[in-house]
Amino acid sequence: DVKVTQSSRYLVKRTGEKVFLECVQDMDHENMFWYRQDPGLGLRLIYFSYDVKMKEKGDIPEGYSVSREKKERFSLILESASTNQTSMYLCASSSVNEQFFGPGTRLTVL
Amino acid sequence: GEDVEQSLFLSVREGDSSVINCTYTDSSSTYLYWYKQEPGAGLQLLTYIFSNMDMKQDQRLTVLLNKKDKHLSLRIADTQTGDSAIYFCAESNAGNNRKLIWGLGTSLAVNP
């Protein structure tokens, strides 16, 4: 059974903290994605990666960075968290025809 | 740029059919998708259709594609309370599914 896991379901951080969100997939997929989901705004792509050490900016990369040191792991980094980064963060990996999603991390920045 | 639009809310009675509609602008779409998101969960692929098809049926789900009008619909027969969720339409024009263009999601409420 295919699986995408995210390190935390819920996370509370303070403004200015550095935040790491981890995503691991066990399907040997090359493509991995980070989205944020906000009410009324749907899913917005932050970054994606199509190979180890490769990354491309999505639609809203500002305030975020990513790391892909191993094929199975794709990390999203908030260098200095701000309150407007409070959101649901969804990781996905893809085969040719389908994106598989993790359960999401609900991040609150106080 | 490419855009995908869908209505935000739909309410149906249990046992009725639900039809969720989606329009898209990219004339070179290759795949069109329907994803389901239950409360507090990630997204799950329900079904997808290749752009050279006009219909796909999978148990209670029927997908209709009108490529000329760039219109996609998802019909759920005999809708159950467990079908209450947000349904996302998405399209891709890259065969390797690198990026999807997403609609905002339709929230389906099923009333007993």
Side-chain angles (χ1 to χ4, degrees):
Chain A
D1 195 20
V2 298
K3 209 160 187 177
V4 179
T5 56
Q6 295 184 228
S7 48
S8 306
R9 290 300 307 271
Y10 301 93
L11 209 52
V12 179
K13 295 291 181 180
R14 294 203 175 275
T15 301
E17 280 193 83
K18 191 168 186 175
V19 182
F20 292 89
L21 302 183
E22 302 282 341
C23 175
V24 178
Q25 51 101 357
D26 65 0
M27 296 163 280
D28 202 36
H29 288 159
E30 291 180 349
N31 301 327
M32 295 187 74
F33 306 80
W34 274 107
Y35 296 91
R36 63 178 283 178
Q37 183 180 18
D38 300 286
L41 297 177
L43 273 74
R44 291 182 291 167
L45 182 64
I46 304 171
Y47 267 98
F48 66 103
S49 168
Y50 50 88
D51 203 351
V52 174
K53 296 193 187 294
M54 305 300 283
K55 61 185 179 185
E56 282 196 29
K57 293 179 180 179
D59 300 316
I60 52 162
E62 296 80 18
Y64 303 94
S65 61
V66 289
S67 172
R68 184 106 181 262
E69 295 297 317
K70 293 185 178 181
K71 193 175 188 180
E72 67 271 18
R73 189 180 298 268
F74 190 35
S75 303
L76 180 70
I77 303 153
L78 287 67
E79 294 288 341
S80 177
S82 63
T83 55
N84 63 12
Q85 292 178 308
T86 291
S87 186
M88 170 72 93
Y89 289 88
L90 293 167
C91 174
S93 71
S94 74
S95 65
V96 173
N97 295 334
E98 181 177 353
Q99 284 193 12
F100 296 85
F101 281 82
T105 296
R106 185 163 293 283
L107 172 66
T108 301
V109 182
L110 302 176
Chain B
E2 300 93 347
D3 193 23
V4 174
E5 292 192 357
Q6 45 184 135
S7 54
L8 294 182
F9 301 101
L10 178 65
S11 179
V12 300
R13 284 188 182 277
E14 192 174 15
D16 287 351
S17 291
S18 308
V19 179
I20 303 171
N21 294 300
C22 170
T23 58
Y24 60 97
T25 57
D26 185 357
S27 56
S28 58
S29 290
T30 310
Y31 293 97
L32 295 124
Y33 303 84
W34 285 106
Y35 279 81
K36 176 183 181 183
Q37 185 181 34
E38 295 181 358
L43 277 71
Q44 174 192 3
L45 180 68
L46 277 181
T47 186
Y48 66 90
I49 189 168
F50 191 55
S51 58
N52 67 355
M53 300 168 64
D54 50 22
M55 187 179 103
K56 182 177 181 182
Q57 187 149 5
D58 183 3
Q59 299 182 339
R60 291 191 297 123
L61 305 179
T62 303
V63 178
L64 295 178
L65 174 61
N66 181 327
K67 199 172 178 183
K68 174 176 168 287
D69 294 338
K70 299 191 185 69
H71 182 267
L72 182 74
S73 68
L74 173 69
R75 178 176 180 268
I76 305 172
D78 187 25
T79 313
Q80 302 297 307
T81 54
D83 295 323
S84 295
I86 302 175
Y87 291 81
F88 289 91
C89 172
E91 66 94 5
S92 170
N93 63 7
N96 63 359
N97 194 32
R98 282 187 182 184
K99 280 180 68 173
L100 297 183
I101 308 299
W102 295 87
L104 294 185
T106 299
S107 180
L108 174 64
V110 182
N111 305 305

